[in-house]
Amino acid sequence: MSAASWTRRWEWTNRVQAFRNRISNPHRKPLQQCLAVALLGLLAGCSSWVELPDRELQAPNPPEQWLSRIERLEGQPQGWLQRLQAPKLAELVEQALQQNPQLQNTRALLAEAEAQARIAGAERQPSLSAGAEAGRSGTGSNDRSQFSATLTFGWELDLWNKLSDSARAAEIDRQALLQDYRSARLSLAAGVAKAWFNSVEAGQQVGLSQQLVSVLADRLDVLEEGYQAGLVAALDIHLARANLAAERSRLSTRQQNLGSSVRQLELLLGRYPANRQALAQQLPPLPETIPAGLPSELLQRRFDIRAAELRVQSSWARLDRRHKDRFPSFSLTGSYGRSSDQLDQLLRGESLVWSLLGGLSQPLLDGGRLEALEAQALAQAQQREALYRDTVLKAFDEVETALQQERQLTRFVEQSQISVVEFQLAEQLAAEQYRAGLVQYITLLEAQRSAFEARSSYTQALNQQLQNRIDLYLALGGDFETSTAEVELAVENELTSLQGTP
């Protein structure tokens, strides 16, 4: 505890002791002693002052530039959905924003937080209620009726801003959930895009397998004719049949993968997983290099980091409230109404009754409950601070990983494209040499298999490049609308429509 803290506590202790000596005078009147005891409780509550921790949130220090560098790092990665050149995908994202059950749940949580913020704010305001009563009582020989109508007033004076702290915490929680909602929208858009490209790639892989099955089946027919004529060896027939069966098995597996990918996409869209979503025939080209910005900008751009920071502030506000719960509370209560034995005389002036009371309460003995609640709030604030730092570090890791993958996948795609060209040439030469009787059939089969694997690997590499690009957009906190104004307008429209839902 600092020197100033000890000085303040020493001053309060001296004041409390001096007041105790004054009220111990036996010649004081009972009423004065009662008031003195109440004031002593007030001073005792204030003397329970405890030093609160410093309120400065420390984030991990980022480098000046990303360590995994790519070109053109200026700007912000917004509007990435339009850059992907997939018109159908934009329609699907819009459907998912309206129909996805998980996003609807997040919207409902946000609506609940908004209601809770209004509830917490209402506790600072006076309350007024109206009531009416009618009753009859008696002893058998003497019955009596009683009628009354009253207005009841209540108000807790927020002397220490305890209620304001609770309202502030609830409002910050609402803002944090709003950031969660924005993050959920972004994650859903990215999830739909990744599922869409996975499905398109799965469809292309099925198409490649179907082409190879068709080629192998046609070649087997030719070989069998040659075998019947004694021109083809039995070994070639067995190899051709084995390769055809293996490729048909692979086609079946890839068709299963396609169905799983499409159903996963339909679930994100909030539909029944019927495996009926129409797909594009080809993956779109990779957009040009995206702007990554500076590491320090990430703290303000990512919704999850902003939500974690807001939750730290909320925990600080709740710690303030728990600390001030140990201070005295003052409330005003009053009533105004009329009471009469006769209902028709209830509105006459002589039936008027009213009351106004002021109350002061100070916790004295509670078994350490309030102190433990404050310690609990302090521990929760420390947890939120640790989670904030963890969120920031994970965000930096996601960006660095995606930037590194961006560079590596670019090289992989370039080499895969070269592999496709070379294996296609090798397949053509193997076919020509087999027809000329210069190589065995197994050489032709190996060339065909290698060419097919090269095309399949290249298609997979293109999809991985798109997937990583979306991961990078997500890691950088970029939104799929073209501007910040579009993001705010879309969120406002969705929340407005939710409020109008019964």
Side-chain angles (χ1 to χ4, degrees):
M1 186 178 293
S2 63
S5 304
W6 280 111
T7 301
R8 286 194 293 269
R9 191 158 190 174
W10 178 258
E11 291 176 353
W12 275 113
T13 303
N14 289 339
R15 292 179 186 178
V16 172
Q17 185 61 42
F19 195 77
R20 285 173 177 167
N21 294 335
R22 292 179 61 186
I23 66 172
S24 61
N25 186 351
H27 299 290
R28 272 188 192 278
K29 296 181 179 180
L31 178 59
Q32 292 176 338
Q33 289 183 341
C34 292
L35 294 175
V37 170
L39 187 54
L40 176 62
L42 173 63
L43 293 175
C46 295
S47 68
S48 64
W49 184 86
V50 176
E51 185 179 19
L52 295 176
D54 296 333
R55 306 298 176 81
E56 185 176 356
L57 186 59
Q58 297 292 337
N61 293 326
E64 294 183 0
Q65 293 287 344
W66 299 108
L67 302 181
S68 302
R69 294 292 303 274
I70 58 175
E71 298 179 356
R72 298 181 59 183
L73 298 179
E74 296 78 15
Q76 292 189 359
Q78 289 186 330
W80 53 262
L81 190 61
Q82 288 76 14
R83 299 179 189 177
L84 292 175
Q85 301 181 25
K88 183 63 177 178
L89 177 58
E91 298 178 10
L92 296 179
V93 168
E94 186 63 28
Q95 292 179 23
L97 293 177
Q98 299 299 325
Q99 301 176 13
N100 182 268
Q102 294 183 355
L103 187 63
Q104 292 174 351
N105 178 68
T106 305
R107 279 201 295 261
L109 289 175
L110 178 57
E112 179 185 4
E114 291 178 344
Q116 183 61 42
R118 292 196 300 269
I119 292 172
E123 293 179 352
R124 296 180 296 171
Q125 306 300 324
S127 64
L128 183 65
S129 60
E133 294 183 354
R136 186 173 180 84
S137 62
T139 60
S141 59
N142 185 15
D143 296 339
R144 181 170 177 267
S145 298
Q146 184 69 31
F147 303 93
S148 64
T150 59
L151 291 175
T152 304
F153 165 83
W155 185 27
E156 180 178 351
L157 300 181
D158 198 9
L159 295 178
W160 315 102
N161 289 327
K162 292 190 292 184
L163 302 179
S164 298
D165 290 335
S166 295
R168 180 161 55 93
E171 172 59 23
I172 296 175
D173 284 341
R174 184 197 68 82
Q175 296 176 12
L177 277 171
L178 178 59
Q179 300 304 318
D180 287 341
Y181 175 66
R182 291 171 174 168
S183 179
R185 293 178 74 252
L186 177 57
S187 298
L188 178 59
V192 171
K194 295 178 73 172
W196 168 260
F197 292 137
N198 281 334
S199 299
V200 173
E201 191 232 324
Q204 289 185 262
Q205 298 288 1
V206 168
L208 288 174
S209 287
Q210 289 174 339
Q211 292 176 12
L212 186 57
V213 165
S214 178
V215 170
L216 292 176
D218 292 341
R219 185 152 292 169
L220 177 59
D221 292 339
V222 174
L223 290 174
E224 287 180 341
E225 292 178 1
Y227 178 74
Q228 295 295 333
L231 301 176
V232 176
L235 176 60
D236 293 344
I237 297 296
H238 293 306
L239 288 174
R241 290 173 178 173
N243 276 271
L244 178 59
E247 193 53 42
R248 283 173 173 168
S249 175
R250 187 184 319 201
L251 174 59
S252 177
T253 300
R254 292 191 169 183
Q255 288 173 335
Q256 293 177 14
N257 293 337
L258 174 60
S260 298
S261 299
V262 173
R263 283 191 292 272
Q264 181 63 34
L265 173 62
E266 290 171 335
L267 286 177
L268 291 175
L269 298 176
R271 301 180 189 170
Y272 184 86
N275 190 18
R276 295 178 180 176
Q277 174 62 48
L279 301 173
Q281 298 299 318
Q282 299 290 332
L283 290 170
L286 185 72
E288 62 183 14
T289 305
I290 70 169
L294 300 175
S296 58
E297 297 174 353
L298 195 68
L299 303 181
Q300 297 299 323
R301 194 188 303 163
R302 285 204 27 163
F303 298 126
D304 56 342
I305 294 179
R306 288 154 61 183
E309 181 180 0
L310 287 168
R311 287 189 168 91
V312 172
Q313 297 176 10
S314 172
S315 66
W316 286 345
R318 285 186 167 82
L319 176 58
D320 288 339
R321 170 61 195 264
R322 289 304 185 188
H323 179 67
K324 295 172 184 177
D325 279 342
R326 304 169 69 179
F327 296 171
S329 299
F330 183 75
S331 60
L332 293 175
T333 59
S335 63
Y336 176 87
R338 298 177 184 273
S339 178
S340 174
D341 294 343
Q342 301 294 328
L343 181 61
D344 57 354
Q345 296 180 0
L346 186 61
L347 300 180
R348 294 185 181 180
E350 59 269 15
S351 64
L352 175 65
V353 292
W354 64 273
S355 67
L356 180 63
L357 299 174
L360 178 67
S361 64
Q362 165 61 45
L364 296 178
L365 296 175
D366 62 355
R369 177 178 175 273
L370 292 179
E371 183 179 0
L373 287 173
E374 182 178 349
Q376 182 188 48
L378 176 59
Q380 291 173 347
Q382 293 170 343
Q383 294 172 31
R384 295 288 178 85
E385 292 174 10
L387 289 175
Y388 168 77
R389 290 189 291 271
D390 183 65
T391 302
V392 172
L393 288 174
K394 287 182 178 178
F396 288 148
D397 176 68
E398 289 173 2
V399 176
E400 292 286 2
T401 300
L403 288 175
Q404 183 183 19
Q405 291 291 329
E406 178 87 7
R407 187 171 53 210
Q408 299 297 332
L409 285 171
T410 298
R411 297 196 187 105
F412 181 50
V413 168
E414 291 173 354
Q415 296 302 315
S416 295
Q417 191 172 17
I418 295 175
S419 176
V420 168
V421 174
E422 294 298 330
F423 274 119
Q424 284 178 344
L425 293 175
E427 181 186 9
Q428 293 175 5
L429 289 174
E432 293 174 0
Q433 292 177 3
Y434 176 73
R435 286 193 295 268
L438 300 177
V439 296
Q440 297 180 351
Y441 184 66
I442 190 173
T443 303
L444 176 59
L445 287 177
E446 184 64 28
Q448 288 177 334
R449 185 184 303 109
S450 298
F452 168 77
E453 293 291 348
R455 291 193 296 270
S456 176
S457 178
Y458 177 65
T459 302
Q460 184 179 13
L462 292 177
N463 182 36
Q464 289 177 350
Q465 205 172 27
L466 287 167
Q467 298 284 328
N468 185 74
R469 179 60 62 85
I470 296 172
D471 287 337
L472 183 55
Y473 286 133
L474 198 61
L476 291 172
D479 218 315
F480 51 91
E481 280 88 5
T482 56
S483 67
T484 303
E486 280 191 5
V487 177
E488 300 297 334
L489 180 60
V491 171
E492 182 180 352
N493 290 340
E494 290 180 20
L495 297 181
T496 301
S497 64
L498 177 66
Q499 294 174 357
T501 303

